[in-house]
Amino acid sequence: MGEIYGKILIPESYSSEIAGQIGVMWELMTVPLLTICVYICLAMSVMVFIERVYMGAVILVVKLLGKKPQNRYKWEAIKDDSEEANAAFPMVLVQIPMCNEKEVYKISIGAASNLSWPSHRLLIQVLDDSTDLVIKDMIEKECLRWGSKGVNIRYQIRERQGGYKAGLLKQGLEHDYVKECEYVAIFDSDFRPEPDFLRRSVPFLIHNPELALIQARWRFVNADECLLTRMQEMSFDYHFMIEQEAGSATHAFFGFNGTGGIWRIAAINDAGGWNDRTTVEDMDLAVRAGLKGWKFLYLGDLQVYSELPSTFKAFRLQQHRWASGPANLFRKTIMGIATNKKISLYKKLYVMYSFFLVRKVIVHFFTFFFYCVILPLSVLVPQVYVPIWGAIYLPSVITTLNSVGTPRSFHLLFYWVLFENVMSFHRTKATVIGLLEAKRANEWVVTEKLGDKLNNKGGKSKRSLSLGKLVGDRIQVQELGLAMFLFVCGCYDFLYGKDNYFVYLFLQVITFTVVGFGYIGTFIPTP
């Protein structure tokens, strides 16, 4: 009866005609559109490939020719002279911005207080933006404790709110007692510089007046804590060993990392000071100083230890800010860079194309759309061809180049690729938000540092956690949705495909699922 009723509603001749029309529309619209997307992704792949090879070649030349910073810039150690009260040592300000850093506030205060620099030529400024009165009291007492030991340390809170970290640092420089300082070193609350940090960095600034910034390399005390921190270490090592080194060696320009560096205060003022128009105030200041003609120097052998976010929630929020901020800054500075007359055309192209477009925009779009959308869809549309060089060869070279920074983690390289594909989803969303200056473009969440929290309080938090909070903290619906999409594509390729992409697709499904259920990183549930 159902078949007869169906044939009455849709005659067989009409149903075959509708199917034919759908087939024609599929051929005329879906296939060409997906083919165009493939070509766009391949073009982005080539752009990323050329950028990686270029930076790798620069580093190779730097290593082979022995172009160490001491060979490119003048450096001479500052000698202690008690008879002249160490007058050769310039006045240095150390700024430590913090906000509710209960677990780690002692780390940077203690490390800064132990810097090997004449005490009367060093001023430590703890800039506390905490909202918790108990934590504010703890930080102030820690400053008083070091002050009682003869350390020149000031505890400072905001006189006016706004501007996040940029506003905090800006107000710190406005105090009268800072005016005699020539240089300012910045350390976040979890950073611990070695005692000789200033003795190794300040001489570069003294003897090379064109230098505005010395950036040290970040190393991590908790890199082995979990798989999430190992993945981050691999990404950071590539960033510092390749990207920062290449920018420093070829253009004397790179993005300030926001901490673990020392600035010439005159350069900050010349660039217009700290600005809170984006959530990457450090990169913003570096770009404006670079456009004024100032030079930057990266010291790879000057290392500062810090803590990596070990919970996926903290890492995801951090990555949103680090992807959205640069895209938003690119939107706001592109015209200023293009019309700037103080730097060469070559450096303009480097900043606009290499520094911003490829590294801050294209790489996220390419990684997500190609590996998580276009390649899986091509399995469902066999008329679309993805060349093997774009699907396998170029990505393999790019991945191999990314691994040179962390040889000890080479065995994790394949999983790192899968995890980066998952994170590219969040970074792509954040990049679009930044480019469009949408609602979350200026979202700022202080990255959670755990310190000894795991050892001291982890068990208590878990016992008091409800099922609702557990699901809310751990389950990532978007990742699980993408995992389902990739699983369908993988099953179809396994049954009907010819390129054996299902091997990659199923592995990517596993990674999305692991992240989707919150089994990545350390889990510290919200009480």
Side-chain angles (χ1 to χ4, degrees):
M1 186 68 178
E3 288 185 15
I4 297 174
Y5 185 68
K7 289 180 180 180
I8 293 173
L9 288 177
I10 306 177
E12 187 174 342
S13 59
Y14 284 174
S15 62
S16 60
E17 183 178 344
I18 292 173
Q21 290 178 351
I22 292 175
V24 171
M25 291 179 62
W26 178 268
E27 291 286 342
L28 293 178
M29 296 181 63
T30 306
V31 175
L33 181 61
L34 191 56
T35 301
I36 292 172
C37 291
V38 169
Y39 287 143
I40 293 174
C41 286
L42 291 176
M44 291 192 292
S45 175
V46 172
M47 293 168 69
V48 174
F49 171 77
I50 293 174
E51 177 70 10
R52 293 290 192 268
V53 171
Y54 161 73
M55 289 191 294
V58 168
I59 299 304
L60 187 61
V61 170
V62 169
K63 299 299 182 184
L64 291 178
L65 298 182
K67 289 190 173 183
K68 296 181 179 180
Q70 292 83 350
N71 298 332
R72 291 183 283 129
Y73 296 94
K74 184 180 179 181
W75 186 92
E76 185 179 338
I78 306 174
K79 297 180 181 179
D80 293 276
D81 188 350
S82 57
E83 293 184 1
E84 297 186 10
N86 290 316
F89 287 80
M91 192 70 184
V92 177
L93 171 69
V94 175
Q95 287 186 319
I96 308 174
M98 56 180 62
C99 179
N100 297 322
E101 312 286 4
K102 181 180 179 181
E103 305 298 333
V104 295
Y105 71 93
K106 291 183 179 180
I107 292 174
S108 56
I109 295 176
S113 299
N114 285 312
L115 285 169
S116 176
W117 200 257
S119 58
H120 67 289
R121 307 301 292 169
L122 181 67
L123 172 61
I124 300 172
Q125 190 182 58
V126 177
L127 303 170
D128 187 14
D129 214 19
S130 301
T131 56
D132 189 314
L133 295 179
V134 175
I135 297 177
K136 290 174 78 76
D137 183 62
M138 293 166 63
I139 296 173
E140 185 175 12
K141 286 181 178 178
E142 182 68 9
C143 293
L144 292 173
R145 187 175 74 84
W146 281 104
S148 66
K149 295 182 179 182
V151 176
N152 187 10
I153 186 170
R154 299 288 187 99
Y155 174 77
Q156 205 73 53
I157 59 175
R158 283 192 192 239
E159 296 177 355
R160 59 186 184 275
Q161 293 299 315
Y164 302 109
K165 183 178 175 182
L168 196 60
L169 295 172
K170 183 177 182 178
Q171 288 187 40
L173 292 176
E174 292 175 353
H175 295 282
D176 290 336
Y177 62 81
V178 171
K179 295 187 184 302
E180 59 181 310
C181 298
E182 297 180 53
Y183 311 106
V184 55
I186 302 171
F187 302 107
D188 283 353
S189 58
D190 59 316
F191 274 69
R192 51 202 80 180
E194 294 295 322
D196 63 350
F197 179 91
L198 296 179
R199 289 182 178 266
R200 295 174 62 186
S201 59
V202 172
F204 280 106
L205 295 169
I206 293 175
H207 298 295
N208 303 276
E210 73 277 17
L211 284 178
L213 166 68
I214 305 296
Q215 175 67 58
R217 180 181 175 181
W218 296 2
R219 300 307 292 264
F220 310 102
V221 296
N222 65 332
D224 293 325
E225 185 174 315
C226 59
L227 190 57
L228 176 62
T229 54
R230 290 291 293 271
M231 300 296 102
Q232 293 177 72
E233 182 192 39
M234 294 175 70
S235 299
F236 271 119
D237 284 349
Y238 177 82
H239 168 68
F240 281 104
M241 291 184 66
I242 306 299
E243 292 181 341
Q244 299 294 72
E245 184 69 72
S248 176
T250 56
H251 303 280
F253 173 82
F254 48 82
F256 175 44
N257 293 109
T259 177
I262 179 168
W263 278 89
R264 187 187 302 273
I265 294 179
I268 295 178
N269 295 332
D270 184 46
W274 292 102
N275 195 311
D276 62 354
R277 58 180 173 172
T278 69
T279 57
V280 284
E281 74 294 322
D282 42 16
M283 186 182 296
D284 188 355
L285 178 61
V287 170
R288 286 183 284 114
L291 294 179
K292 287 284 188 177
W294 290 97
K295 295 182 178 181
F296 308 153
L297 176 62
Y298 167 72
L299 297 179
D301 59 349
L302 181 62
Q303 301 178 356
V304 184
Y305 280 85
S306 63
E307 178 183 326
L308 290 164
S310 57
T311 67
F312 184 66
K313 179 181 179 181
F315 178 64
R316 191 175 72 248
L317 291 171
Q318 180 197 72
Q319 292 302 297
H320 172 85
R321 176 161 54 90
W322 286 2
S324 175
N328 191 229
L329 181 63
F330 183 41
R331 167 196 171 109
K332 293 181 176 179
T333 58
I334 181 68
M335 291 305 299
I337 298 171
T339 57
N340 184 275
K341 297 181 179 179
K342 288 191 175 182
I343 60 174
S344 65
L345 177 62
Y346 182 46
K347 190 169 183 178
K348 287 184 188 179
L349 293 174
Y350 170 77
V351 177
M352 289 189 294
Y353 174 79
S354 179
F355 181 76
F356 271 119
L357 183 62
V358 176
R359 296 188 218 168
K360 312 303 181 186
V361 179
I362 294 297
V363 69
H364 304 319
F365 281 36
F366 156 68
T367 304
F368 173 66
F369 285 111
F370 187 62
Y371 294 111
C372 301
V373 179
I374 303 302
L375 194 63
L377 282 177
S378 70
V379 169
L380 304 178
V381 187
Q383 298 94 324
V384 175
Y385 172 69
V386 180
I388 192 171
W389 61 264
I392 298 177
Y393 297 151
L394 284 191
S396 298
V397 175
I398 293 172
T399 300
T400 303
L401 291 174
N402 278 332
S403 69
V404 299
T406 319
R408 77 184 189 99
S409 297
F410 186 79
H411 62 289
L412 298 174
L413 186 59
F414 191 74
Y415 183 75
W416 175 82
V417 172
L418 297 173
F419 178 70
E420 283 293 293
N421 290 347
V422 174
M423 289 310 303
S424 70
F425 167 61
H426 293 286
R427 292 173 184 142
T428 299
K429 285 195 305 179
T431 301
V432 172
I433 289 172
L435 288 174
L436 299 179
E437 204 164 13
K439 186 176 180 180
R440 294 183 63 200
N442 294 313
E443 179 184 80
W444 182 291
V445 178
V446 177
T447 304
E448 180 186 24
K449 290 99 177 178
L450 298 182
D452 294 327
K453 187 175 183 179
L454 272 177
N455 297 329
N456 299 335
K457 300 181 181 180
K460 183 177 179 180
S461 296
K462 289 183 180 179
R463 285 194 298 270
S464 61
L465 186 69
S466 67
L467 179 62
K469 289 182 178 179
L470 176 65
V471 173
D473 284 348
R474 298 203 72 144
I475 302 300
Q476 310 295 327
V477 177
Q478 294 173 331
E479 281 84 348
L480 293 177
L482 283 168
M484 183 61 67
F485 163 70
L486 294 171
F487 180 73
V488 171
C489 295
C491 291
Y492 186 89
D493 188 59
F494 178 76
L495 295 173
Y496 308 109
K498 59 181 184 300
D499 294 318
N500 295 325
Y501 288 149
F502 67 86
V503 177
Y504 155 74
L505 291 173
F506 285 149
L507 289 171
Q508 194 66 74
V509 167
I510 294 173
T511 309
F512 267 104
T513 303
V514 168
V515 174
F517 281 112
Y519 287 100
I520 184 73
T522 303
F523 181 60
I524 301 293
T526 303

